[in-house]
Amino acid sequence: MTLVLLDTNAYLRLAKRVRPAVGVKFGQKGYVLTIHKSVEDEVHRNPRLRATYPWFDGQEFASERMAKQVRLSDADKASIQAAQSVLHGWVLADPEPYTSGGRSPPGPTDCWLLALGQVKPAIVVTDDLGMHALAKDFGILVWHGYELLDKLRSAKVVDPPLIREIYEALETNGDLPKTWQEAKHTVFLKIFGPKAR
């Protein structure tokens, strides 16, 4: 079994339409989608996210998240804390490489999630390019959201109409990352066709 850990944005982009979103086992490697309580906290702290994703606190979603959250022992927590401190220290020592394209560098929560991926181990799903850069420096496995969507498609968890619907919703919400835009006519070429010239 391989844990696949969704960050807040990855969860918000997929969970409403990919049902159930967490606790699902798929693919030949037995990937299991999971989230951590930090996702819950981040959405509840952020009025903009709560307004944009009103379904987040719906009973069905909330109980699914509670039931399928990744559980950590005290030893896990201590290891994650130590790894987070190393990752965050690394970013603070030289934030420049992580700020490409006007992004803010990975913060404590981002580093904590990557540390969790390192300790558990799990594949972290995030569209944050700063987190991808940091993960690469430390050999932590990360996927973009569209890569997860592609793997779900290969495992027949999602079908082309649903992928179209997810893309439409993200475009409508003004929440389609550049990486997803590029994947639309490469990774999902069979669904969307080639890019219009």
Side-chain angles (χ1 to χ4, degrees), residues 56-121:
F56 183 83
D57 279 320
Q59 189 54 54
E60 178 194 355
F61 295 97
S63 28
E64 177 185 289
R65 286 194 306 270
M66 287 310 290
K68 304 294 183 187
Q69 267 177 18
V70 63
R71 307 267 181 247
L72 300 171
S73 67
D74 287 343
D76 284 341
K77 286 177 189 165
S79 305
I80 291 165
Q81 208 111 42
Q84 175 198 26
S85 156
V86 170
L87 291 168
H88 199 226
W90 181 266
V91 172
L92 293 176
D94 185 13
E96 194 60 37
Y98 308 107
T99 54
S100 61
R103 294 303 310 249
S104 51
T109 308
D110 301 328
C111 292
W112 195 91
L113 212 56
L114 288 174
L116 173 56
Q118 196 175 28
V119 168
K120 257 329 242 183

Side-chain angles (χ1 to χ4, degrees), residues 109-156:
T109 308
D110 301 328
C111 292
W112 195 91
L113 212 56
L114 288 174
L116 173 56
Q118 196 175 28
V119 168
K120 257 329 242 183
I123 298 163
V124 178
V125 182
T126 178
D127 291 308
D128 182 318
L129 299 179
M131 284 175 74
H132 276 264
L134 182 59
K136 192 173 167 207
D137 289 343
F138 284 85
I140 300 166
L141 272 174
V142 281
W143 290 344
H144 290 281
Y146 75 80
E147 291 176 279
L148 169 59
L149 193 58
D150 188 40
K151 296 216 178 342
L152 289 167
R153 175 185 65 165
S154 304
K156 310 250 186 297

Side-chain angles (χ1 to χ4, degrees), residues 153-169:
R153 175 185 65 165
S154 304
K156 310 250 186 297
V157 176
V158 299
D159 58 6
L162 185 58
I163 291 173
R164 273 193 216 97
E165 194 185 311
I166 288 168
Y167 261 88
E168 274 163 28

